[in-house]
């Protein structure tokens, strides 16, 4: 099975140059001009276009059982939407119920994901603690290709990890050479504010951001960073949405801490006015956590990406329909939290980041693919255009444009948070595992074509004398500038 991508400009995180790319059996076999390839090779014409590493979305929730319902996009429809948008790999989350075995949950998610059309891997959430959890973390790292564990500091009475759990789990991550990640919001404060708002009769979606103000995220970000600092652990903050969190990460990095930050395409372009929409359904469709923020925070996130304080972009794709959101008709705290975006992430970032002059095309590659591969120990298998790397590529038409809409999206839900946005810069062809997976609107990949990929552990974060060893931190990522 061979494929030649011909006539394009290769754009990686650090270089742009004219070359063709020859792929054989799922890998990049040669890069150059006038390549000698067999006559039966399939050819993709990339003339006038860019060829970049396929996007990696480090934060998705396909088919997630959450808040009494199950996310509508499963691993098949969700990864298909990803391919349509130029994303060739996801890192999803195994979220064990409290008291559930981590391994049991991991195998449950592996089963659900078998129908993926694009490659996938898993972070595993730590939602409770005892010796069996500590043991199973080791088993997941040693034998199942997991090198990151997630801690929800919010969602009290459900999956929230309290400080004692954070301390135990971060320490265990250091022994195993895994990276702890956090959803940083103070769950006690969110719960308190939710009860207060409901008691005041404020029950609609407008109360959602009121119950989760930026300070609630800032407190948790600072706490997680401080716990990691005390232990000497690296830490990755998912869906950073508040200026205060960006400042906390920048301060910690300036002081030599290994802290990494992710932001979402949605948080970069939307603000909290969406919750004041007089249409209940439209406002509820935007309920996700952390919420969209007041104007001003978006600029802080862009600056965070530009300056290298934030390294990755994701979607937190967790898609619920109107009928599911209606569970919170009389109580905003019961609206299933989550929005979609895997199909739109790359184009939104190109339109608002590259076309506006905030990011170079190389920086775009860094924040949509390469930095995630580096932080989660996948580079250069993924996130790179090199001989031997996985042939996961996107042929990008910088002149092509489209208007994002629920009418044309692949996602199964009935809403698009980017509705009506015209983007210039879209994929014309997505290559996954060396094959044309999606081209000009046609999905060619099939259920089951996606493969699970292992993410090897880092060397233990401790050296032989039991002291913290910074050399074993995740690979230094590319600063956006
Ligand atoms: O609202 C969100 N983000 N839903 C998915 C779960 C999470 O917090 O990431
Ligand atoms: Zn979260
Ligand atoms: Zn999430």
């Amino acid at each position: 099975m061979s494929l030649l991508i011909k006539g394009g400009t290769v754009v990686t995180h650090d270089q742009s140059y004219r070359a063709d790319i020859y792929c054989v059996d799922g890998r990049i076999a040669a890069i150059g001009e006038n390549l000698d390839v067999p006559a039966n090779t399939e050819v993709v014409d990339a003339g006038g276009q860019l060829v970049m590493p396929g996007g990696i979305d480090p934060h998705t929730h396909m088919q997630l059982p959450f808040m009494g319902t199950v996310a509508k996009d499963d691993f098949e429809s969700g990864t298909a939407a990803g391919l349509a948008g130029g994303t060739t790999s996801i890192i999803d989350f195994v979220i064990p119920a409290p008291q559930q075995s981590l391994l049991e949950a991991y195998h449950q998610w592996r089963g659900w994901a078998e129908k993926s059309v694009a490659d996938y891997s898993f972070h595993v959430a730590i939602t409770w603690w005892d010796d069996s959890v500590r043991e199973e973390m080791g088993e997941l790292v040693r034998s199942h290709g997991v090198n990151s564990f997630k801690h929800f500091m919010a969602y009290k009475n459900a999956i929230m990890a309290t400080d004692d759990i954070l301390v135990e789990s971060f320490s265990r991550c250091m022994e195993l050479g895994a990276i702890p990640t956090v959803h940083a919001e103070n769950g006690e404060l969110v719960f308190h504010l939710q009860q207060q708002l409901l008691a005041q009769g404020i029950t609609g979606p407008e109360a959602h951001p009121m119950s989760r103000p930026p300070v609630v995220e800032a407190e948790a970000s600072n706490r997680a960073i401080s716990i990691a600092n005390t232990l000497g652990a690296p830490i990755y903050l998912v869906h950073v949405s508040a200026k205060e969190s960006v400042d906390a990460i920048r301060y910690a990095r300036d002081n030599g801490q290994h802290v990494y930050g992710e932001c979402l395409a949605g948080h970069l372009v939307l603000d909290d006015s969406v919750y004041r929409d007089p249409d209940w359904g439209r406002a509820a469709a935007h309920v996700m956590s952390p919420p969209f923020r007041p104007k001003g925070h978006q600029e802080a996130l862009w600056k965070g990406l530009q300056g290298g304080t934030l390294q990755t972009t994701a979607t937190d794709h967790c898609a619920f329909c109107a009928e599911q959101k209606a569970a919170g008709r009389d109580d905003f705290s019961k609206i299933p939290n989550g929005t979609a975006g895997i199909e739109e992430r790359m184009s939104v970032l190109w339109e608002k980041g590259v076309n506006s002059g905030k990011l170079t095309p190389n920086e775009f590659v860094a924040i949509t693919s390469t930095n995630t591969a580096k932080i989660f120990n996948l580079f250069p298998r993924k996130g790179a255009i090199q001989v031997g790397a996985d042939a996961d590529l996107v042929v990008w038409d910088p002149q092509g444009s489209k208007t994002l809409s629920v009418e044309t999206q692949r996602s199964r839900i009935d809403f698009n948070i980017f509705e009506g946005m015209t983007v210039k810069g879209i994929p014309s062809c997505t290559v996954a595992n060396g094959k044309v997976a999606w081209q000009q609107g046609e999905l060619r990949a099939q259920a089951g074509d996606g493969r699970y990929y292992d993410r090897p552990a880092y060397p233990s974060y401790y050296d032989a004398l039991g002291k913290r060893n910074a050399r074993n931190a995740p690979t230094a990522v590319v600063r956006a500038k």
Side-chain angles (χ1 to χ4, degrees), residues 6 27 33 53 72 88 105 122 127 143 145 147 173 182 190 236 245 271 273 280 309 330 364 405 408 428 459 469:
K6 201 171 164 49
R27 297 275 170 90
E33 294 193 79
K72 274 278 183 254
T88 50
F122 291 109
T127 55
S143 312
N147 73 6
C173 285
V182 288
V190 172
Y236 177 96
S245 296
D271 64 59
S273 58
W280 190 95
T309 300
D330 303 319
F364 171 84
S405 173
T408 48
S428 66
N469 186 343

Side-chain angles (χ1 to χ4, degrees), residues 172-330:
R172 181 64 171 146
C173 285
M174 289 172 70
E175 287 171 3
L176 296 169
I179 181 161
T181 78
V182 288
H183 167 137
E185 283 186 302
N186 183 316
E188 295 292 346
L189 283 172
V190 172
F191 183 76
H192 175 79
L193 293 173
Q194 284 175 335
Q195 302 313 306
Q196 208 172 52
L197 287 156
L198 289 169
Q200 289 165 11
I202 309 174
T203 60
E206 71 281 7
H208 178 68
M210 296 162 82
S211 69
R212 314 180 93 104
V215 64
V216 161
E217 178 182 326
E219 187 283 327
S221 298
N222 278 293
R223 178 158 40 100
I225 290 170
S226 300
I227 293 172
N229 191 22
T230 306
L231 301 172
I235 188 157
Y236 177 96
L237 285 81
V238 308
H239 53 40
V240 172
S241 70
K243 176 183 185 305
E244 293 85 342
S245 296
V246 180
D247 291 343
I249 297 171
R250 184 183 304 110
Y251 181 84
R253 289 173 66 85
D254 284 351
N255 283 285
Q257 224 183 311
H258 294 285
V259 182
Y260 304 98
E262 161 196 291
C263 65
L264 307 183
H267 282 137
L268 283 161
V269 300
L270 298 180
D271 64 59
D272 63 350
S273 58
V274 294
Y275 299 114
R276 296 189 289 276
D277 194 312
D279 182 291
W280 190 95
R282 276 206 303 267
H286 290 92
V287 167
M288 58 97 53
S289 297
F292 297 110
R293 296 301 190 190
K295 282 197 191 341
H297 289 269
Q298 300 75 26
E299 196 189 337
L301 297 180
W302 281 113
K303 286 190 174 150
L305 281 174
Q306 289 175 292
T309 300
L310 304 177
Q311 299 79 31
T312 65
T313 57
T315 58
D316 201 356
H317 189 94
C318 188
F320 297 110
C321 289
E323 143 242 330
Q324 295 172 292
K325 295 274 181 181
R329 240 304 159 195
D330 303 319

Side-chain angles (χ1 to χ4, degrees), residues 63 74-77 79 110-118 120 412 446-450:
Q63 206 173 323
D74 60 17
F75 283 88
E76 183 179 351
S77 65
T79 52
R110 283 290 303 264
W112 294 338
E114 274 175 13
K115 60 186 173 192
S116 292
V117 295
Y120 56 94
R412 285 191 183 143
Q446 293 176 353
D449 281 355

